[in-house]
Amino acid sequence: MSLAEGGDATVKAPDSGPRIIHDVLGIGFGPSNLALAIAVEEHNADQPAAGGIDALFLERQPGFGWHRGMLIDDATMQVSFLKDLVTMRNPTSDFSFLCFLRERGRMVDFLNQKTLFPLRVEFHAYFEWAAARVAHLVSYSSEVLSVTPVRDEDGGVQHFDVTCRTPGGLSATVTHRARNISVAVGLEPHLPPGTALSERVWHNSQLLPRVAELTAAGTPVRRAVVLGAGQSAAEAVDYLHRTFPDAEICGVFAKYGYTPADDSPFANRIFDPEAVDVYFDSPSEVKQSLFDYHRSTNYSVVDMDLIEALYATAYREKVQGRERLRFLNVSRIREVGIGDEGLEVAVEFLPTGERQVLATDILVHATGYRARDIGTLLGEAAKICLRDDGDAVRVGRDHRVEVTADVHAGIYLQGGTEHTHGLASTLLSTTAVRAGEIRDSLVSRLVAS
Ligand code: FDA
């Protein structure tokens, strides 16, 4: 059995590589790998000293942080607090959101709100609280640069070497070795082709720190343009409107109006753990239709409460005769130039082709996120991953990438698996359950080896 003995296993590696061989190295330490760290911790607590899983998680940020740039003070979660890091896997876990609330002395106060959807800032505090409890499993300020399969004398791959940049200067790197890796690096901001970010042109993921910079510098904001019609776009419009009380805020999008997110009970079942089984076992055309039918649970949609609040604000301003909140619908941004005092954003009204140029202080692209290309991150290790006819990575039900026959080391993916595991792949809905599935798969493979 290849389980680590207590903490770090000191096994002589077949070459001059790292002497410590971890059972699993997590790449990225957002909610997905945090949930896995907790699942490992709970498993190890039940094991005799020599029987635990030796895990280490590598995170490029200096501390835990979950989409900090969008931690708008009044934004709420879009998933029930019961879909926290543990409850769907182990309702008795003391890593639950309820245990966090109890520890903070807020359980009764929270319940009196009669909501399943906490503030995002509160859930962030919950994540931080949980991350602090497994801090001994995490190395922060460790950006993974490469993953290299290590071949033994027989040519088989039993391990990966994972090299990361460390804070000791640009060239400081350290290499860790593991029998398995769990890749959970999240999504990356998506921008329209040719977009150059700058002090005035942002992606919404930069919203809060950029606004804080402007405010600190005393830079006046007379107009801000937000491109996009999804949840982040609507939140950015609302936030900028409240933050700059003298500015005009323009939402620009190709749709006629914001589309409400479908969070109705039957549609929400697409995020059930059982739905992952159904999706996984479906032929590709059924997968595609399920995805298309239910994309309005997540993509390019906005919570109804926020839609109604924005509409009410726009209408109130119309009544009062001072319209600061404007929506340029059925429109696209065609050009962004630099003017005398800021940006000049050319917006085309699509039905007529008519253009207007908006002198603007800020342009926010709320244009979504895309899965990271794991080929780039995995580098050499990507070559051992099998791909399907559409060139997507083949992934098993246990979230492990299918690899060539000579590879015995495992690559687990959390996120980037919408094509195999469905819409919940990039969300929090099945995070706890998925972490348990990966933990169980690790245990059974480690026991078998
Ligand atoms: P996540 O992106 O959170 O974490 C990935 C981590 O990997 C990051 O900490 C990153 O720094 C690190 N990393 C990346 N590359 C690395 C490298 N090379 N080396 C080391 N570390 C690296 N979903 C939901 O279900 N309900 C909700 O309410 C919301 N709300 C929400 C709000 C906002 C503003 C956004 C942008 C997204 C959501 N989501 C959501 C979806 C979101 O994807 C989900 O909540 C989790 O962030 C997914 O967690 P992960 O750990 O998989 O990725």
Side-chain angles (χ1 to χ4, degrees), residues 27-33 58-61 65-67 70 76-79 120 142-144 184-187 232 369 372 377 414 426-429 434:
I27 303 179
F29 197 63
S32 299
N33 267 338
L58 304 168
E59 167 57 48
R60 67 182 176 186
Q61 298 183 82
W66 177 65
H67 304 301
M70 283 294 287
T76 53
M77 295 300 293
Q78 293 175 287
V79 70
R120 248 183 357 235
S142 300
E143 180 180 10
V144 172
V185 289
L187 305 173
S232 294
Y369 297 79
R372 287 179 203 277
L377 177 74
Q414 304 204 62
T426 61
L427 301 174
L428 297 173
S429 325
R434 180 175 62 198

Side-chain angles (χ1 to χ4, degrees), residues 95-130:
F95 279 90
S96 68
F97 179 69
L98 284 180
C99 286
F100 161 76
L101 282 180
R102 186 188 51 193
E103 206 174 292
R104 294 288 152 104
R106 282 203 302 264
M107 190 142 95
V108 173
D109 302 315
F110 179 83
L111 292 179
N112 285 336
Q113 291 193 110
K114 297 187 191 166
T115 182
L116 291 171
F117 307 102
L119 291 169
R120 248 183 357 235
V121 285
E122 185 169 37
F123 226 60
H124 189 278
Y126 158 64
F127 285 150
E128 279 185 312
W129 166 83

Side-chain angles (χ1 to χ4, degrees), residues 148-170:
T148 311
V150 183
R151 298 208 174 265
D152 58 22
E153 294 86 15
D154 304 331
V157 175
Q158 307 286 349
H159 309 117
F160 294 113
D161 274 356
V162 177
T163 300
C164 56
R165 196 188 338 257
T166 58
L170 269 185

Side-chain angles (χ1 to χ4, degrees), residues 241-252:
H241 185 266
R242 282 186 284 126
T243 305
F244 298 110
D246 296 322
E248 178 183 284
I249 312 299
C250 302
V252 177

